[in-house]
């Protein structure tokens, strides 16, 4: 990207180490303004040329792994992204994904969701590597994430709060854990919602969340087996508010690579209004296997 | 040192497609209770001694000037100018200012007691003489508070308009001048131009015997100033347009045309000298339209000492586009209040002009509307003055111009139309 030298204003090209006019060292220069390309962006985040507030690192985040992808986006109406996600692949093709949605009416919800996602991802990766089963690891991840969010409360203010949904995909098993109204879907020949919202029906009034004011946090944890190819989708309500039906989501998310699918879902939510932050994680499952129509619906494991 | 703070009142949320950003900038200066170092103040008292000042007015003017001299603290440098169709420095002379002490005050008062009313009126020449005294003084006393008091009772009849313009331009930035008009023969617009250019107040003095107390108060206020030559520095984004920069409290003063360019995006607007006081400014910026959710800095307002570039305080004006009508339609009370105060002043000035032009219909409409705004916004003094010019039926709201209006009331209404009241209730308290 081209820009202007912050010292003398001369046009400079991306990749140039020094300004040809005045010799100013450009390597130390800030990232160019996303709106006008000026290199003169103040420490407070406002461009000193066009005034535009620079997007924070979280306004649009993409994670692409070999087998899965996640996209988190500010949406169109919120001034910051209060969603957070975590995504990693482990040995033997295990994939762990987490989506947390900061509660907008609580203080610093962006910090709460990020803390929850970070610590849950680290915990799941560690526990699974140590040989814990997915449900035990998930329970421990939620416990530590809830503790981190609760500990972030400051005296004299309401408690920071966020939702939580995780998926551990291993072999033919999918273990889903959640607190709040972020969702997990199975998308395939017979798509289905895997979670039940912790919210008063028909409203966004949460009945469970992570936070110091949440009491003891007891996550829902369910494990499913699937017999056919499909996609596990985690998402915040920024997506499912517009597209709650599994079939509609499946029509968009299947038959593409994970990152393209995740981007397309985010774009759909933004085109529908982008009222909230949007975060989706797409984890394909059983790719290349032949669909067996009769058994493609995920069954809850009964053990 | 005086401490400055800047507060910005605005609703930063704009509906999609909207481009106008308004903010009220409140600047508060608070300093040590003790006053400015005395040696850093300079005062010039300018007394109209044209022929019209006879018949007793000159006696009151003498007393007023003497009261002002008495109010000067020891060490303040001062001079007295007698003005008619020319300007004479009656104290101390020699093109300089004298430090105030018992002896110099006595000598100055003695000189004032011999003032006689004769000759014409050429205010630009008086001011130019004061400017030269201040300039000479500033060589040895940079950073001194430079303040003048100008008293007049008549029209500027003996100085061609181009000369007056040139003299006024010559004085701009060299000192602050508070102006007082006494009697009913002076022209408000003329004296207001002096006050505006020299960043000072303009007030009408109905009875000459009120001059003494007023001069004392004015001098005391001038002695309370601690920082000279402060500027409001306004940055706007490259693609934006600065609609206006106005002082809106304690009095209206449009500073838009007073810009000194700092760089392509930044300009300085003069505010004169500051003591412990608070003033408010209305800044309006037209920004390029942004997308819903985007946030922009629409203006960066700083209070600076232009000579050194020292920043005393700063504040942000923001714009954020929102499609939530609850956010974007919320009206900031302070912006609304001062928008109303500006409308009130315009209505009064236009109404009085229409009245003098014989356009009864326009005068009645404007002054009647002004009466309503004055009452609503809490401008009690203005409402009382309007009542001397116009009758408004409280039941029907029908307005009717009074047939007989005291010229002094008309002058008072015109003069004070630019003085604003602060909001009755601060929403944040």
């Amino acid at each position: 990207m081209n820009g202007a030298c912050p010292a003398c204003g001369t046009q400079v090209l991306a990749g140039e180490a020094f300004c040809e006019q005045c010799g100013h060292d450009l390597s130390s220069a800030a990232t160019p303004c996303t709106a006008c390309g000026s290199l003169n962006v103040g420490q407070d985040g406002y461009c000193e040329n066009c005034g535009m507030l620079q997007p924070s690192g979280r306004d649009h985040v993409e994670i692409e792994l070999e087998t899965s992808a996640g996209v988190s986006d500010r949406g169109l109406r919120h001034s910051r992204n209060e969603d957070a996600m975590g995504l990693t692949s482990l040995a033997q093709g295990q994939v762990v994904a987490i989506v947390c949605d900061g509660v907008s009416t609580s203080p610093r919800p962006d910090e709460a969701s990020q803390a929850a996602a970070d610590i849950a991802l680290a915990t799941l990766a560690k526990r699974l590597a140590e040989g814990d089963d997915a449900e035990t690891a998930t329970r421990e991840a939620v416990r530590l994430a809830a503790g981190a969010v609760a500990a972030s409360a400051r005296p004299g203010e309401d408690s920071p709060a966020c939702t939580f949904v995780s998926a551990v995909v291993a072999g033919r098993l999918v273990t889903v854990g959640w607190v709040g109204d972020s969702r997990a879907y199975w998308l395939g020949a017979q798509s289905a919602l895997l979670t039940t919202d912790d919210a008063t029906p028909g409203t966004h009034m949460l009945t469970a969340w992570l936070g110091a004011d949440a009491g003891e946090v007891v996550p829902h944890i369910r494990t499913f087996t699937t017999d056919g190819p499909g996609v596990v989708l985690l998402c915040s309500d920024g997506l499912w508010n517009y597209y709650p039906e599994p079939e509609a989501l499946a029509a968009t998310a299947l038959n593409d690579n994970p990152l393209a699918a995740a981007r397309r879902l985010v774009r759909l939510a933004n085109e529908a209004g982008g009222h909230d932050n949007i975060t989706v994680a797409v984890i394909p499952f059983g790719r290349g296997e032949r669909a067996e129509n009769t058994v493609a619906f995920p069954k809850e494991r009964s053990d | 040192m005086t401490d400055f703070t800047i507060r910005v009142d605005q609703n930063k949320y704009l509906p999609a497609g909207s481009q106008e950003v308004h903010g009220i900038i409140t600047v508060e200066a608070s300093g040590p209770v003790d006053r400015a170092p005395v040696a850093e103040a300079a005062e010039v008292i300018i007394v109209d001694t044209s022929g019209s000042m006879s018949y007793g007015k000159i006696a009151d003017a003498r007393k007023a000037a003497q009261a002002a001299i008495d109010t000067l603290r020891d060490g303040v440098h001062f001079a007295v100018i007698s003005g008619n169709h020319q300007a004479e420095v009656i104290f101390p002379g020699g093109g300089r200012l004298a430090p105030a002490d018992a002896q110099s005050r006595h000598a100055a008062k003695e000189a004032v007691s011999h003032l006689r009313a004769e000759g014409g009126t050429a205010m630009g020449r008086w001011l130019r003489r004061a400017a030269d005294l201040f300039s000479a003084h500033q060589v040895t006393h940079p950073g001194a508070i430079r303040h003048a008091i100008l008293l007049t009772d008549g029209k500027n009849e003996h100085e061609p308009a181009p000369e007056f313009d040139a003299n006024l331009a010559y004085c701009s930035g060299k000192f602050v001048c508070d102006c007082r008009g006494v009697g009913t023969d002076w022209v408000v617009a003329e004296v207001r131009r002096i006050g505006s250019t020299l960043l000072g107040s303009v007030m009408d003095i109905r009875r000459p015997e009120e001059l003494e107390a007023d001069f004392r108060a004015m001098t005391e206020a001038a002695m309370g100033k601690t920082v000279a030559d402060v500027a409001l520095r306004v940055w706007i984004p490259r693609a934006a347009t600065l609609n206006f920069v106005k002082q809106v409290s304690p009095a209206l003063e449009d500073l838009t045309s007073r810009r000194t360019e700092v760089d392509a995006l930044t300009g300085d607007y003069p505010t004169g000298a500051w003591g412990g006081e608070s003033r408010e400014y209305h800044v309006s910026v037209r920004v390029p339209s942004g997308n819903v959710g985007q946030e922009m800095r629409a203006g960066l307002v700083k209070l600076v000492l232009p000579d050194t570039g020292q920043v005393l305080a700063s504040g942000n004006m923001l714009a954020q586009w929102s499609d939530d009508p609850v956010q974007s339609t919320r009206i900031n009370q302070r912006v609304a209040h001062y928008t109303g105060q500006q409308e009130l002043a315009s209505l009064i000035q236009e109404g009085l002009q229409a009245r003098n032009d014989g356009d009864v219909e326009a005068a009645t409409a404007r002054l009647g509307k002004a009466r309503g705004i004055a009452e609503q916004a809490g401008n009690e003094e203005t409402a009382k003055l309007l009542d001397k010019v116009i009758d408004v039926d409280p039941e029907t709201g029908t307005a009717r111009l009074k047939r007989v209006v005291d010229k002094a009331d008309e002058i008072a209404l015109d003069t004070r139309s630019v003085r604003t009241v602060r909001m009755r209730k601060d929403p944040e308290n």
Side-chain angles (χ1 to χ4, degrees):
Chain A
M1 182 183 292
N2 298 347
C5 169
C8 71
T10 303
Q11 286 290 312
V12 292
L13 299 173
E16 286 182 341
F18 295 93
C19 171
E20 291 201 0
Q21 183 69 30
C22 72
H24 185 80
D25 183 358
L26 300 173
S27 60
S28 61
T31 321
C33 170
T34 53
C36 75
S38 163
L39 290 172
N40 228 343
V41 174
Q43 290 199 328
D44 52 9
Y46 294 98
C47 173
E48 291 179 9
N49 182 58
C50 75
M52 218 45 105
L53 181 64
Q54 301 303 297
S56 83
R58 286 173 65 179
D59 280 3
H60 184 89
V61 184
E62 297 188 350
I63 301 175
E64 185 176 24
L65 303 179
E66 211 170 305
T67 57
S68 57
V71 174
S72 184
D73 191 88
R74 181 170 57 88
L76 300 178
R77 290 210 9 195
H78 282 246
S79 58
R80 64 178 170 192
N81 189 356
E82 295 162 359
D83 286 359
M85 62 178 175
L87 186 64
T88 192
S89 48
L90 305 172
Q92 286 105 43
Q94 271 184 326
V95 176
V96 176
I98 293 156
V99 168
C100 291
D101 179 351
V103 175
S104 285
T105 52
S106 74
R108 297 175 283 114
D110 52 332
E111 294 175 27
S113 61
Q114 191 69 59
D118 288 350
I119 200 158
L121 188 68
T123 305
L124 275 165
K126 182 164 179 286
R127 287 306 184 105
L128 291 169
E130 287 172 0
D132 276 1
D133 67 81
E135 292 201 357
T136 306
T138 300
R139 194 162 280 115
E140 183 64 5
V142 172
R143 190 180 71 79
L144 291 178
V149 175
S152 71
R154 292 177 190 159
E157 67 173 22
D158 292 342
S159 308
C162 68
T163 69
F164 179 97
V165 62
S166 67
V168 177
V169 180
R172 288 187 172 271
L173 293 182
V174 178
T175 300
V176 175
W178 74 97
V179 179
D181 68 351
S182 294
R183 289 182 171 180
Y185 286 89
W186 165 255
L187 309 179
Q190 283 183 283
S191 301
L193 173 62
L194 304 181
T195 52
T196 49
D197 302 336
D198 285 324
T200 310
T203 74
H204 283 87
M205 300 286 290
L206 292 177
T207 55
W209 59 90
L210 308 189
D213 55 353
E216 191 194 352
V217 175
V218 182
H220 309 274
I221 299 181
R222 296 171 77 183
T223 298
F224 302 89
T225 58
T226 63
D227 291 334
V231 159
V232 175
L233 170 72
L234 301 188
C235 65
S236 60
D237 61 350
L239 174 66
W240 70 250
N241 274 334
Y242 296 112
Y243 294 98
E245 298 304 327
E247 292 75 18
L249 293 168
T252 305
L254 295 176
N255 309 319
D256 212 336
N257 77 60
L259 182 61
R263 283 177 178 163
R264 187 176 309 122
L265 289 167
V266 167
R267 192 166 65 241
L268 278 181
N270 274 328
E271 284 168 1
H275 190 280
D276 203 347
N277 307 141
I278 307 140
T279 302
V280 302
V282 172
I283 308 131
F285 186 91
R287 171 148 299 196
E289 291 181 13
R290 193 169 57 83
E292 296 174 41
N293 292 332
T294 52
V295 288
F297 187 77
K299 295 170 193 140
E300 187 160 7
R301 202 172 59 164
S302 51
D303 51 11
Chain B
M1 185 61 188
T2 306
D3 289 323
F4 289 88
T5 59
I6 282 184
R7 190 178 91 186
V8 180
D9 283 278
Q10 64 160 156
N11 177 14
K12 72 171 181 176
Y13 294 106
L14 300 178
S18 182
Q19 298 178 268
E20 301 293 328
V21 182
H22 291 268
I24 300 294
I25 318 296
T26 303
V27 182
E28 280 206 57
S30 57
V33 182
D34 55 317
R35 291 163 164 180
V38 282
E40 293 303 318
E43 185 76 38
V44 173
I45 299 158
I46 307 169
V47 181
D48 185 341
T49 55
S50 61
S52 59
M53 285 291 288
S54 48
Y55 312 111
K57 259 189 256 173
I58 190 68
D60 287 303
R62 283 191 212 118
K63 273 193 225 160
Q66 288 170 340
I69 292 165
D70 276 332
T71 311
L72 297 171
R73 280 170 293 117
D74 280 354
V76 171
H77 288 72
F78 76 108
V80 183
I81 291 174
S82 160
N84 49 21
H85 53 282
Q86 48 201 7
E88 185 192 351
V89 182
I90 61 160
F91 182 88
R96 60 185 185 87
L97 304 176
D101 57 28
Q103 212 180 342
S104 63
R105 271 193 287 262
H106 181 79
K109 280 163 28 184
E110 174 69 14
V112 166
S113 71
H114 294 121
L115 284 176
R116 240 170 270 297
E118 57 190 355
T121 304
M123 293 184 236
R125 293 174 198 160
W126 316 345
L127 293 166
R128 175 180 277 268
R129 181 61 59 85
D132 288 339
L133 290 174
F134 282 122
S135 295
H137 181 71
Q138 208 179 358
V139 174
T140 48
H141 298 81
I145 311 292
R146 301 174 309 282
H147 181 257
I149 292 171
L150 180 141
L151 172 71
T152 184
D153 80 326
K155 269 190 206 162
N156 202 44
E157 288 174 316
H158 302 92
E159 182 180 31
E163 188 194 338
F164 177 65
D165 293 347
N167 282 334
L168 205 51
Y170 178 80
C171 296
S172 177
K174 293 198 167 82
F175 61 102
V176 170
C177 185
D178 287 318
C179 306
R180 295 296 180 261
V182 64
T184 55
D185 296 323
W186 58 287
V187 180
V188 177
E190 209 168 72
V191 178
R192 181 177 287 147
R193 226 186 111 202
I194 297 174
S196 293
T197 306
L198 302 181
L199 305 168
S201 66
V202 177
M203 278 297 277
D204 56 295
I205 304 292
R206 191 171 293 231
R207 285 178 293 277
E209 57 269 28
E210 293 166 2
L211 277 173
E212 189 179 331
D214 183 68
F215 265 48
R216 187 175 293 118
M218 221 183 332
T219 313
E220 264 168 14
M223 299 290 99
K225 302 290 181 186
T226 52
V227 191
D229 302 317
V230 177
L232 203 63
R233 179 166 291 179
V234 182
W235 172 96
I236 58 164
R238 185 170 297 279
T241 316
L242 193 53
N243 293 330
F244 58 77
V245 177
K246 291 173 180 171
Q247 180 182 286
V248 292
S249 175
L252 299 176
E253 195 61 69
D254 193 340
L255 299 173
T256 313
S257 64
R258 307 290 297 273
R259 179 186 181 94
T260 304
E261 195 104 322
V262 176
D263 61 43
L265 307 180
T266 313
D268 278 354
Y269 299 83
T271 68
W274 286 71
E277 62 191 293
S278 112
R279 301 184 203 171
E280 290 172 279
Y281 299 87
H282 185 172
V283 176
S284 168
V285 182
R286 182 177 173 82
V287 295
S289 58
N291 297 323
V292 168
Q294 264 182 325
E295 181 173 318
M296 164 190 260
R297 170 153 62 202
L300 176 59
V301 182
K302 295 176 180 171
L303 211 64
V304 298
L305 299 177
D307 288 346
T308 61
Q310 187 189 343
V311 177
L312 303 169
S314 69
N316 270 327
M317 277 174 66
L318 302 176
Q320 186 179 331
W321 287 271
S322 165
D323 62 358
D324 180 350
V326 175
Q327 286 180 327
S328 62
T329 60
R330 195 180 296 138
I331 291 169
N332 180 276
Q333 292 303 314
R334 206 173 281 266
V335 172
H337 173 76
Y338 283 115
T339 303
Q341 293 287 298
Q342 292 166 57
E343 188 189 3
L344 174 60
S346 305
L347 286 168
I348 291 173
Q349 287 167 25
E350 289 165 17
L352 289 176
Q353 186 61 49
R355 185 176 165 279
N356 287 335
D357 296 344
D359 185 346
V360 175
E361 200 179 324
T364 309
R366 285 180 175 64
L367 294 171
K369 190 172 178 199
R371 179 67 181 76
I373 295 177
E375 179 158 333
Q376 218 168 12
N379 300 64
E380 286 165 24
E381 192 199 11
T382 306
K384 272 184 207 157
L385 287 166
L386 278 163
D387 284 342
K388 295 180 174 169
V389 180
I390 192 163
D391 287 317
V392 180
D393 186 319
E395 296 283 308
T396 62
T398 309
R400 195 169 51 82
L401 289 182
K402 284 190 188 288
R403 289 197 186 283
V404 183
V405 174
D406 186 342
K407 176 76 175 161
D409 288 328
E410 187 193 325
I411 283 181
L413 179 58
D414 193 353
T415 305
R416 297 169 194 214
S417 62
V418 296
R419 301 179 73 82
T420 57
V421 294
R422 294 184 187 256
M423 279 178 66
R424 274 186 208 171
K425 246 192 219 157
D426 196 323
E428 278 171 83
N429 290 338

